[in-house]
Amino acid sequence: MNTFTEHDRKLAAALTSLSLGPAPDTVETQKKDLRLLILPVWLSALAALVVAAVAFYSPEAYRGFEDRLLATTGLTGSAADNGVVAPVEQASLPQVEKQAGKSAVRPPLPAGEITGSGTVIAPRATMVFSKYEGRITNIAIELGEFVEPGQPLVILDDAGARFALERARAAKVAAGLLLTARTIDLDQARSALGRIATLAARDAASKQQLEEARRTAERVENAVAQARQELATAELAIRIAEEPVRELTVRAPFAGTVTRLDAHIGDTVLARVDSVRESQSLLTIADTTNMVIDADVAETSIASLRPGLHGEAVLDGFPDQPFAVEILRLAPIASIEKGTITLRLSLSDPPEGIRPNMAARVRIPLIDTLSKTGDIKQ
């Protein structure tokens, strides 16, 4: 006898529908499953497209998004690239070494080399002026000529200086004639004094005559001394008058090469005081046998620089002939406009034909450069 009622069958059907077993596949079920599979793929593709667009049009925004994403997931940039998970706190710590129970921040290593550009300089160079005013009558040198010390360079003429010298010489002649006359007078006065003294000893001349002869001799002696002084003054006046005339011949102050020539025959030049103020030199001489390079390098490299470091330089005029250089000194101040420091470099075997003001490029390798802590070398 069937003891199951209609209520029991409905209950059994409800329990069967709540079973964990697989439900029978239907067309609607398969379609629903396919949509569930396609939806994540479609969302991932859309997200990738948005990220690519942001990275292309705004790289900075993309990097900010990436940093925030890495910070949220707990990955640093290098750890994420290598597939290694590293806590953000540990990755953001500075590189610190434990030394003697203290933490010391490791300084950055210096760059492998320092480069800069500069100019060839002749340290011993001077502009030549005329000491006195005059008119140029002759130029004894040419541009680029090597001159010796004391060699005549430019010859000027000044009529006033020549006349002053002639006047001084004439005054010397007059002083000499006066001295000769006073000397003759002195001889005569001494002779007269001797005769009167002899007569006075024989009581043939009075004491008054003897005293008067003595005073006359003294006056003539004073006149002779004054004449000698006038002659010495005349000789001094000649030396004073000769100096401007002698300086009308401008001579080389030292051995060097004439690097600039501004003098022209017929020009009237001013005295040195006025010429310096007006920057009107006759010429420029430079000692080209001993030249250096003044090069500018970034002031951020100053901690790695010191006198004695060696390097290499090449001139734009001789690009295939590099030569050795050495740092002589660093400039005491930096350039506030360019942010550079100037180095003075000595030259070793520079190319033949090197000239002042040539452009140069320098390279200084940092070998055995110690850090401030003294334990890092490169």
Side-chain angles (χ1 to χ4, degrees), residues 2-77:
N2 188 4
T3 60
F4 288 96
T5 64
E6 185 66 23
H7 175 73
D8 295 332
R9 285 195 296 270
K10 290 181 179 181
L11 182 58
L15 292 175
T16 303
S17 63
L18 296 176
S19 174
L20 296 177
D25 294 335
T26 62
V27 175
E28 285 77 12
T29 304
Q30 293 177 355
K31 291 181 178 180
K32 184 177 180 180
D33 294 341
L34 182 60
R35 286 195 299 268
L36 292 176
L37 291 175
I38 294 175
L39 182 59
V41 175
W42 182 81
L43 291 176
S44 300
L46 181 60
L49 181 61
V50 172
V51 172
V54 172
F56 180 79
Y57 290 102
S58 180
E60 295 181 356
Y62 173 74
R63 285 195 294 271
F65 169 75
E66 184 183 26
D67 293 340
R68 289 192 296 272
L69 180 60
L70 293 177
T72 303
T73 57
L75 294 175
T76 62

Side-chain angles (χ1 to χ4, degrees), residues 131-151:
K131 188 174 182 179
Y132 298 101
E133 183 178 351
R135 183 176 61 86
I136 299 176
T137 59
N138 186 26
I139 299 176
I141 45 85
E142 295 181 355
L143 184 64
E145 181 178 344
F146 184 84
V147 295
E148 298 291 343
Q151 179 177 335

Side-chain angles (χ1 to χ4, degrees), residues 43-314:
L43 291 176
S44 300
L46 181 60
L49 181 61
V50 172
V51 172
V54 172
F56 180 79
Y57 290 102
S58 180
E60 295 181 356
Y62 173 74
R63 285 195 294 271
F65 169 75
E66 184 183 26
D67 293 340
R68 289 192 296 272
L69 180 60
L70 293 177
T72 303
T73 57
L75 294 175
T76 62
S78 59
D81 293 339
N82 297 328
V84 178
V85 177
V88 176
E89 295 179 354
Q90 182 177 354
S92 61
L93 290 176
Q95 296 180 358
V96 177
E97 291 183 351
K98 301 294 183 178
Q99 297 178 353
K102 297 181 180 180
S103 61
V105 178
R106 179 183 300 174
L109 292 177
E113 65 180 26
I114 295 175
T115 59
S117 59
T119 307
V120 178
I121 301 293
R124 195 181 184 193
T126 184
M127 293 188 294
V128 179
F129 298 89
S130 173
K131 188 174 182 179
Y132 298 101
E133 183 178 351
R135 183 176 61 86
I136 299 176
T137 59
N138 186 26
I139 299 176
I141 45 85
E142 295 181 355
L143 184 64
E145 181 178 344
F146 184 84
V147 295
E148 298 291 343
Q151 179 177 335
L153 304 175
V154 179
I155 300 174
L156 299 91
D157 180 57
D158 183 13
R162 288 189 289 101
F163 291 154
L165 178 59
E166 292 177 3
R167 187 183 304 111
R169 288 172 176 171
K172 179 184 177 181
V173 172
L177 293 175
L178 181 61
L179 177 61
T180 301
R182 294 289 185 266
T183 302
I184 293 173
D185 292 343
L186 179 60
D187 291 341
Q188 292 177 351
R190 287 175 176 175
S191 178
L193 178 60
R195 289 193 304 269
I196 293 175
T198 301
L199 294 174
R202 298 175 183 176
D203 293 330
S206 64
K207 293 182 179 180
Q208 183 179 359
Q209 290 176 331
L210 178 61
E211 187 65 23
E212 184 177 350
R214 186 177 290 112
R215 286 196 298 268
T216 300
E218 290 176 354
R219 285 197 299 270
V220 175
E221 287 179 357
N222 291 336
V224 170
Q226 184 176 1
R228 288 198 180 100
Q229 185 62 40
E230 291 178 356
L231 179 61
T233 302
E235 292 175 347
L236 178 60
I238 289 177
R239 291 198 297 272
I240 293 174
E242 285 176 343
E243 198 266 342
V245 175
R246 183 171 57 252
E247 292 296 329
L248 292 175
T249 300
V250 181
R251 301 179 182 274
F254 54 81
T257 303
V258 179
T259 59
R260 182 174 178 177
L261 182 60
D262 298 321
H264 303 87
I265 295 178
D267 289 351
T268 299
V269 299
L270 301 175
R272 179 181 299 166
V273 175
D274 299 324
S275 297
V276 171
R277 183 172 60 250
E278 300 294 334
S279 298
Q280 296 178 353
S281 63
L282 297 174
L283 51 95
T284 301
I285 294 179
D287 181 6
T288 56
T289 61
N290 184 23
M291 291 187 286
V292 298
I293 291 178
D294 282 352
D296 293 334
V297 299
E299 65 180 58
T300 54
S301 307
I302 191 171
S304 303
L305 296 171
R306 67 175 186 274
L309 285 180
H310 292 80
E312 185 181 72
V314 62

